[in-house]
Amino acid sequence: MLVDNLRRAAQQNFLSTTEALLQAIDAKDAYTAGHSKRVSELAAFVAKELGKNESEIEVLRYGAYLHDIGKIGVGDLVLTKPSYLTQEEFGLMKRHSEIGYKIIAPIKFMEKCLPIVRHHHEWYNGKGYPDGLQGSDIPFEASILSIVDAYDAITTDRHYHKKYSHQKACEIITQGIDTQFTPTLTEKVLAIINRYHEECIPGERTEYSLTR
Ligand SMILES: [Fe+2]
């Protein structure tokens, strides 16, 4: 009982610290403010609709929340550049998934979130990063996150583009099936995102907190 309580307190501590770190990234980069929370909420919704059990949903929720934590190690000039990145700058940006992995790796109870943090930029055709995983070698949860992450990035204002509509985002992601995104899974996830878009009106959702 005491051990359980201590473990729970340690988890709460870590999650509060994580939230503070993510707020630090948000402060560095106003355009991505809220990105982690939105992606976390949508990823958990998708996991639930795909019939995942409670603990699998939680892995997606936390993994999604932490997926960009490695951006804390990317310089401000690259993170907030108001135009597309040069190849060299993109090389620096690409390091965030490995940096995030290293931040999370020592934390035992976040173990199942590690594949999401490390592999959320892998591409179905093997041309993603950091490991160039291909097809079914990409962890399932990371494949889900890459779709949800792209959807949120496309539908919000960024330094380098204005936001696109929900419809346009679905079209862009559909065009990436077989290259960036996993076939069949992507069609299922887009159908769920479509329901989410219709049913969940932004601003009317209860305030989301990781430590609730
Ligand atoms: Fe990322």
Side-chain angles (χ1 to χ4, degrees), residues 67-68 71 96 120-121 129 149:
H67 75 283
D68 272 344
K71 285 189 178 171
H96 80 274
H120 69 276
H121 287 291
Y129 65 87
D149 188 24

Side-chain angles (χ1 to χ4, degrees), residues 70-200:
K71 285 189 178 171
I72 201 95
V74 176
D76 290 9
L77 289 177
V78 173
L79 206 56
T80 60
K81 189 178 176 190
S83 55
Y84 286 94
L85 300 179
T86 64
Q87 214 166 2
E88 191 187 345
E89 289 163 341
F90 190 52
L92 295 171
M93 179 63 98
K94 279 162 78 173
R95 293 185 54 223
H96 80 274
S97 47
E98 276 186 282
I99 295 171
Y101 177 87
K102 284 180 184 156
I103 292 172
I104 306 302
I107 300 148
K108 184 80 184 124
F109 76 92
M110 300 302 288
E111 203 173 21
K112 289 187 176 161
C113 297
L114 281 173
I116 297 177
V117 176
R118 185 175 181 95
H119 297 298
H120 69 276
H121 287 291
E122 304 285 1
W123 280 31
Y124 184 74
N125 64 6
K127 294 193 174 163
Y129 65 87
D131 298 318
L133 298 185
Q134 201 171 356
S136 59
D137 288 342
I138 302 170
F140 182 69
E141 296 80 5
S143 299
I144 294 175
L145 189 73
S146 75
I147 303 162
V148 173
D149 188 24
Y151 174 79
D152 188 76
I154 297 167
T155 54
T156 48
D157 283 331
R158 312 296 283 218
H159 295 285
Y160 48 92
H161 73 70
K162 295 295 277 178
K163 67 179 177 186
Y164 292 94
S165 68
H166 162 76
Q167 197 55 42
K168 184 70 185 166
C170 292
E171 280 170 34
I172 292 170
I173 292 170
T174 302
Q175 282 163 11
I177 288 176
D178 278 329
T179 50
Q180 185 170 354
F181 303 110
T182 309
T184 313
L185 174 69
T186 303
E187 282 146 24
K188 280 188 202 163
V189 171
L190 284 180
I192 295 168
I193 291 177
N194 211 30
R195 277 208 298 285
Y196 183 84
H197 176 72
E198 282 165 8
E199 291 167 14
C200 302

Side-chain angles (χ1 to χ4, degrees), residues 44-57:
F45 182 87
V46 167
K48 189 164 180 243
E49 295 291 301
L50 286 173
K52 298 288 156 192
N53 66 36
E54 203 51 47
S55 70
E56 290 167 330
I57 294 169

